[in-house]
């Protein structure tokens, strides 16, 4: 008898296959999760507010409302770096969002869930999920969705870097200097890896994301990390930052 496929593993593979097609990120989420709608958005300090993917008009509206009002599950999820779970959003909400709660009174919503998009210390955005009827996610589902959110975080950050109009590597020196810069970047990646205890690919992406957000080259960021003027170690939920 053929074993049933792991829906979350299948969803992770499907998400990774959507590089360059990020508008479809909602598709694997809907296929794996017991929800009626899903959306992926960026906002916060690293990336501009943008709807990357939305499965339907209701998902689109939920994001729009939260962006316009500056409150709601996605904002709390990103601020706390933890899932926000509202199994009965209209009748028994766990949190208070005066304007958002008023705005959704006429909507056909039961449950709303928000999962932060985070990579290392970088807070990127959130996944919003909704159901038409009240629904409670199991603790296992919360863990599995959080793992999918990490996959989505990589894809969304990579997309932002890919679509930027400036080269992350802005080297104009000699070939020798470029080669040396690559060694510096490799060394700095190892230091970030140790600081955050994340895979090397994610450590490099964190550096790229920071360079992108700051409008600086990877060589500059790497030099600051090596000189210990910049650390990505998290202290009280904040990056230590540059020390000039």
């Amino acid at each position: 008898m053929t074993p049933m496929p792991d829906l979350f593993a299948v969803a992770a593979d499907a998400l990774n296959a959507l590089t360059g097609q990020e508008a479809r990120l909602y598709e694997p989420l809907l296929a794996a999760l017991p929800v009626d709608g899903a959306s992926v958005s960026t906002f916060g300090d690293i990336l501009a507010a943008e709807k990357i993917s939305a499965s339907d008009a209701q998902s689109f509206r939920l994001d729009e409302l939260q962006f316009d009002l500056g409150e709601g599950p996605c904002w709390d999820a990103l601020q706390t770096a933890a899932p926000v779970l509202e199994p009965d959003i209209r009748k028994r909400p766990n949190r208070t969002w005066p304007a958002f709660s008023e705005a959704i009174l006429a909507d056909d919503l039961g449950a709303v869930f928000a999962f932060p998009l985070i990579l290392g210390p970088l807070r990127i955005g959130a996944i919003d999920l909704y159901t038409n009827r009240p629904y409670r996610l199991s603790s296992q589902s919360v863990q599995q969705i959080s793992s999918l959110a990490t996959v989505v975080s990589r894809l969304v950050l990579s997309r932002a870097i890919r679509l930027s109009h400036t080269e992350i590597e802005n080297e104009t020196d000699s070939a020798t200097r470029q080669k040396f810069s690559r060694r510096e970047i490799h060394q700095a990646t190892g230091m970030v890896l140790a600081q955050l205890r994340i895979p090397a690919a994610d450590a490099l992406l964190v550096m790229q994301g920071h360079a992108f957000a700051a409008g600086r080259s990877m060589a500059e960021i790497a030099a600051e990390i090596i000189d210990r003027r910049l650390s990505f170690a998290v202290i009280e939920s904040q990056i230590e930052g540059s020390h000039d």
Side-chain angles (χ1 to χ4, degrees), residues 66-125:
Q66 293 179 84
F67 286 165
D68 291 346
L69 299 173
E71 67 175 32
C74 72
W75 289 102
D76 283 14
L78 194 63
Q79 182 178 13
T80 62
V84 172
L85 311 175
E86 289 289 347
D88 196 346
I89 185 70
R90 291 197 299 175
K91 294 183 179 178
R92 299 184 187 86
N94 294 319
R95 303 193 184 210
T96 302
W97 303 293
F100 178 73
S101 297
E102 179 71 21
I104 64 171
L105 283 177
D107 290 294
D108 186 22
L109 292 175
V112 174
F113 313 111
F115 287 78
L117 298 180
I118 296 175
L119 194 64
L122 303 183
R123 302 187 183 198
I124 302 165

Side-chain angles (χ1 to χ4, degrees), residues 186-207:
H186 181 75
Q187 181 181 351
T189 300
M191 293 175 68
V192 174
L193 181 156
Q195 291 167 7
L196 299 177
R197 298 181 181 180
I198 58 178
D202 285 358
L204 180 61
L205 191 54
V206 165
M207 291 169 56

